Amino acid sequence: MSPIKGLTDSQRLPRLGKIRAGYMATNANGVQYPKATDYFVLPEELQAVYGEKPTVIAPVIIPVEDEEVFASTWYRYYTRGRGLVCKGNGEVADRTVDTDALNATGDIAVANKDSKNVARHQVTCPCEHLDSGNCKPIMNLQLILPDAPGIGIWQIDTGSYNSIRNILASVRLIKAACGRISSIPLQLTLTPQTAHVNGKSKTIHVIGLRATEGITFRSLLADVAALPPGVTLALP
């Protein structure tokens, strides 16, 4: 029997919850803003397993081989009241526009919560919204936490260029060497790193994926090479 196109042939992982590397703080004027932390912010069910303020979560497992499924990374523009209004790949973007504003001015106006008539429109990416900070690259990293309760994946989102590059570099190195990335025990880390912002040095905390403690690259290669086809690595 053939799958239903766009339904049963699409791949979406069941999500149990989110891990964060920050929280929403409130300034003196009552305005909320995202504040980074030097530890992972976990829901209560994960704190019981990994502690209240961990900087390492291990082991974690990438569930599938498809990078777009487990580490989907796009330029994304969110607005309050309407959510994701634009998603692009650095060349073109699919944007929700206010067609009333479009007809009146000729501009491609981003839809907001008050827009009554909207449509999808293809625009050049990136655009001025990246420079203004409204849009930014966001990775949705999805991982299995085998020691956590439930069957499904946990997601951590990041808009940090350094974190995105670190994660993808590790994934692609392991995959190039081992021929795979799924079902290999890894650890999710949050570590300090010096960055230069507006000409000044600043300590930031970046997300990374590393081999679990005690595993060398040589031993990882040997373990993967010794596996029969279709067999996965055992958890430590």
Side-chain angles (χ1 to χ4, degrees):
M1 181 179 291
S2 299
I4 299 174
K5 298 299 182 183
L7 179 59
T8 60
D9 60 346
S10 62
Q11 190 170 15
R12 185 171 68 179
L13 304 174
R15 194 176 77 183
L16 298 175
K18 278 196 170 188
I19 300 167
R20 293 178 169 83
Y23 61 94
M24 294 302 293
T26 304
N27 65 18
N29 296 321
V31 177
Q32 287 192 322
Y33 65 96
K35 183 177 178 61
T37 55
D38 56 3
Y39 57 88
F40 290 117
V41 179
L42 306 180
E44 289 186 5
E45 62 265 40
L46 293 189
Q47 289 183 26
V49 179
Y50 304 104
E52 186 178 352
K53 297 181 178 180
T55 57
V56 177
I57 298 176
V60 301
I61 291 174
I62 292 174
V64 295
E65 291 295 321
D66 188 346
E67 194 173 288
E68 174 53 27
V69 174
F70 73 80
S72 177
T73 307
W74 298 80
Y75 285 112
R76 290 181 166 100
Y77 180 4
Y78 291 90
T79 63
R80 289 193 177 186
R82 193 167 285 276
L84 181 65
V85 293
C86 195
K87 176 180 173 182
N89 63 6
E91 294 180 350
V92 295
D94 187 36
R95 178 177 295 174
T96 303
V97 300
D98 186 324
T99 55
D100 293 332
L102 177 64
N103 293 333
T105 66
D107 295 330
I108 304 173
V110 177
N112 57 44
K113 62 183 178 62
D114 298 319
S115 299
K116 292 181 173 56
N117 298 302
V118 300
R120 304 300 293 178
H121 196 92
Q122 232 183 42
V123 298
T124 301
C125 177
C127 68
E128 70 278 4
H129 292 294
L130 181 63
D131 296 329
S132 69
N134 291 325
C135 170
K136 59 183 177 180
I138 297 179
M139 170 186 281
N140 303 138
L141 180 62
Q142 299 189 327
L143 302 166
I144 293 174
L145 308 185
D147 294 332
I151 299 175
I153 60 93
W154 291 85
Q155 180 172 309
I156 182 167
D157 302 332
T158 178
S160 161
Y161 284 88
N162 290 289
S163 294
I164 291 170
R165 288 173 178 142
N166 284 356
I167 292 165
L168 292 179
S170 296
V171 165
R172 290 166 183 173
L173 176 61
I174 294 171
K175 195 166 185 176
C178 301
R180 59 186 291 182
I181 188 61
S182 62
S183 300
I184 294 177
L186 302 171
Q187 57 181 353
L188 182 71
T189 62
L190 189 63
T191 55
Q193 178 176 309
T194 301
H196 296 282
V197 180
N198 298 324
K200 297 181 180 180
S201 294
K202 179 182 178 181
T203 298
I204 60 174
H205 288 79
V206 296
I207 301 168
L209 285 173
R210 300 181 180 179
T212 51
E213 188 174 353
I215 294 179
T216 65
F217 200 69
R218 183 185 295 276
S219 67
L220 178 62
L221 290 174
D223 288 344
V224 173
L227 292 174
V231 178
T232 61
L233 282 176
L235 290 173

Short mmCIF file of all heavy atoms in Angstrom, two decimals, residues 174 177-178 184-185 211-227 233-234:
data_model
loop_
_atom_site.label_atom_id
_atom_site.label_comp_id
_atom_site.label_asym_id
_atom_site.label_seq_id
_atom_site.Cartn_x
_atom_site.Cartn_y
_atom_site.Cartn_z
N ILE A 174 32.01 13.07 12.79
CA ILE A 174 31.71 11.70 13.21
C ILE A 174 31.10 10.90 12.06
O ILE A 174 31.45 9.75 11.83
CB ILE A 174 30.77 11.71 14.43
CG1 ILE A 174 31.48 12.32 15.64
CG2 ILE A 174 30.29 10.30 14.76
CD1 ILE A 174 30.58 12.57 16.83
N ALA A 177 33.72 9.93 9.47
CA ALA A 177 34.64 8.90 9.93
C ALA A 177 33.96 7.55 10.13
O ALA A 177 34.52 6.50 9.80
CB ALA A 177 35.30 9.35 11.24
N CYS A 178 32.74 7.57 10.66
CA CYS A 178 32.06 6.34 11.05
C CYS A 178 31.02 5.87 10.03
O CYS A 178 30.51 4.75 10.14
CB CYS A 178 31.39 6.50 12.41
SG CYS A 178 32.53 6.92 13.74
N ILE A 184 24.75 6.70 18.14
CA ILE A 184 26.07 6.73 18.76
C ILE A 184 25.97 7.55 20.05
O ILE A 184 25.53 8.70 20.01
CB ILE A 184 27.12 7.37 17.81
CG1 ILE A 184 27.32 6.47 16.59
CG2 ILE A 184 28.44 7.59 18.54
CD1 ILE A 184 28.28 7.04 15.56
N PRO A 185 26.35 7.00 21.21
CA PRO A 185 26.25 7.74 22.47
C PRO A 185 27.16 8.97 22.46
O PRO A 185 28.36 8.87 22.22
CB PRO A 185 26.70 6.73 23.52
CG PRO A 185 26.52 5.39 22.87
CD PRO A 185 26.79 5.62 21.42
N ALA A 211 32.01 13.22 22.17
CA ALA A 211 31.98 11.81 22.54
C ALA A 211 31.79 11.70 24.05
O ALA A 211 32.19 12.59 24.81
CB ALA A 211 33.28 11.13 22.14
N THR A 212 31.14 10.65 24.48
CA THR A 212 30.94 10.45 25.92
C THR A 212 32.28 10.26 26.61
O THR A 212 33.27 9.84 26.01
CB THR A 212 30.04 9.24 26.19
OG1 THR A 212 30.54 8.11 25.46
CG2 THR A 212 28.62 9.51 25.77
N GLU A 213 32.32 10.59 27.89
CA GLU A 213 33.56 10.57 28.66
C GLU A 213 34.20 9.18 28.63
O GLU A 213 33.53 8.16 28.80
CB GLU A 213 33.27 10.98 30.10
CG GLU A 213 34.51 11.18 30.94
CD GLU A 213 34.20 11.73 32.32
OE1 GLU A 213 33.03 12.07 32.57
OE2 GLU A 213 35.12 11.82 33.13
N GLY A 214 35.50 9.15 28.39
CA GLY A 214 36.24 7.90 28.37
C GLY A 214 36.35 7.26 26.99
O GLY A 214 37.08 6.29 26.81
N ILE A 215 35.63 7.80 26.01
CA ILE A 215 35.69 7.25 24.65
C ILE A 215 36.63 8.09 23.80
O ILE A 215 36.47 9.32 23.72
CB ILE A 215 34.28 7.23 24.01
CG1 ILE A 215 33.38 6.25 24.77
CG2 ILE A 215 34.36 6.83 22.54
CD1 ILE A 215 31.97 6.17 24.23
N THR A 216 37.61 7.45 23.18
CA THR A 216 38.51 8.14 22.27
C THR A 216 38.01 7.99 20.84
O THR A 216 37.16 7.12 20.56
CB THR A 216 39.93 7.58 22.37
OG1 THR A 216 39.93 6.22 21.91
CG2 THR A 216 40.45 7.63 23.80
N PHE A 217 38.54 8.79 19.95
CA PHE A 217 38.13 8.70 18.57
C PHE A 217 38.52 7.34 17.98
O PHE A 217 37.77 6.73 17.23
CB PHE A 217 38.76 9.83 17.75
CG PHE A 217 38.05 10.11 16.46
CD1 PHE A 217 36.78 10.66 16.45
CD2 PHE A 217 38.66 9.83 15.25
CE1 PHE A 217 36.13 10.92 15.27
CE2 PHE A 217 38.00 10.08 14.06
CZ PHE A 217 36.73 10.64 14.06
N ARG A 218 39.68 6.83 18.39
CA ARG A 218 40.14 5.52 17.90
C ARG A 218 39.20 4.41 18.36
O ARG A 218 38.82 3.52 17.59
CB ARG A 218 41.56 5.23 18.36
CG ARG A 218 42.14 3.92 17.82
CD ARG A 218 43.52 3.66 18.43
NE ARG A 218 44.48 4.67 18.00
CZ ARG A 218 45.15 4.61 16.85
NH1 ARG A 218 44.94 3.59 16.02
NH2 ARG A 218 46.02 5.53 16.54
N SER A 219 38.80 4.47 19.64
CA SER A 219 37.92 3.42 20.15
C SER A 219 36.54 3.50 19.52
O SER A 219 35.89 2.48 19.28
CB SER A 219 37.82 3.51 21.68
OG SER A 219 37.15 4.69 22.08
N LEU A 220 36.09 4.72 19.23
CA LEU A 220 34.79 4.89 18.59
C LEU A 220 34.81 4.28 17.19
O LEU A 220 33.90 3.55 16.80
CB LEU A 220 34.42 6.37 18.51
CG LEU A 220 33.11 6.71 17.81
CD1 LEU A 220 31.93 6.09 18.54
CD2 LEU A 220 32.93 8.22 17.70
N LEU A 221 35.86 4.55 16.44
CA LEU A 221 36.00 3.98 15.10
C LEU A 221 36.02 2.46 15.15
O LEU A 221 35.40 1.77 14.34
CB LEU A 221 37.27 4.51 14.42
CG LEU A 221 37.28 5.98 14.01
CD1 LEU A 221 38.67 6.37 13.50
CD2 LEU A 221 36.23 6.25 12.95
N ALA A 222 36.77 1.92 16.13
CA ALA A 222 36.88 0.47 16.24
C ALA A 222 35.53 -0.16 16.60
O ALA A 222 35.15 -1.20 16.06
CB ALA A 222 37.93 0.11 17.29
N ASP A 223 34.80 0.48 17.51
CA ASP A 223 33.50 -0.05 17.92
C ASP A 223 32.51 -0.06 16.76
O ASP A 223 31.78 -1.03 16.56
CB ASP A 223 32.93 0.79 19.07
CG ASP A 223 33.67 0.57 20.38
OD1 ASP A 223 34.40 -0.43 20.48
OD2 ASP A 223 33.53 1.42 21.28
N VAL A 224 32.48 1.02 16.00
CA VAL A 224 31.55 1.11 14.87
C VAL A 224 31.94 0.12 13.78
O VAL A 224 31.09 -0.54 13.19
CB VAL A 224 31.50 2.55 14.32
CG1 VAL A 224 30.68 2.60 13.04
CG2 VAL A 224 30.92 3.50 15.35
N ALA A 225 33.25 -0.01 13.51
CA ALA A 225 33.71 -0.92 12.46
C ALA A 225 33.40 -2.37 12.79
O ALA A 225 33.19 -3.20 11.89
CB ALA A 225 35.22 -0.74 12.25
N ALA A 226 33.35 -2.70 14.10
CA ALA A 226 33.12 -4.08 14.50
C ALA A 226 31.65 -4.48 14.49
O ALA A 226 31.31 -5.66 14.64
CB ALA A 226 33.68 -4.30 15.91
N LEU A 227 30.76 -3.52 14.29
CA LEU A 227 29.33 -3.82 14.34
C LEU A 227 28.86 -4.51 13.06
O LEU A 227 29.21 -4.09 11.96
CB LEU A 227 28.53 -2.53 14.52
CG LEU A 227 28.65 -1.81 15.86
CD1 LEU A 227 27.90 -0.50 15.81
CD2 LEU A 227 28.11 -2.68 16.99
N LEU A 233 25.37 0.70 18.43
CA LEU A 233 26.25 0.69 19.59
C LEU A 233 25.42 0.56 20.88
O LEU A 233 24.34 1.14 20.99
CB LEU A 233 27.05 1.98 19.67
CG LEU A 233 28.26 2.11 18.73
CD1 LEU A 233 28.86 3.51 18.90
CD2 LEU A 233 29.31 1.06 19.01
N ALA A 234 25.97 -0.18 21.83
CA ALA A 234 25.32 -0.28 23.14
C ALA A 234 25.67 0.95 23.97
O ALA A 234 26.77 1.52 23.84
CB ALA A 234 25.80 -1.54 23.86
#
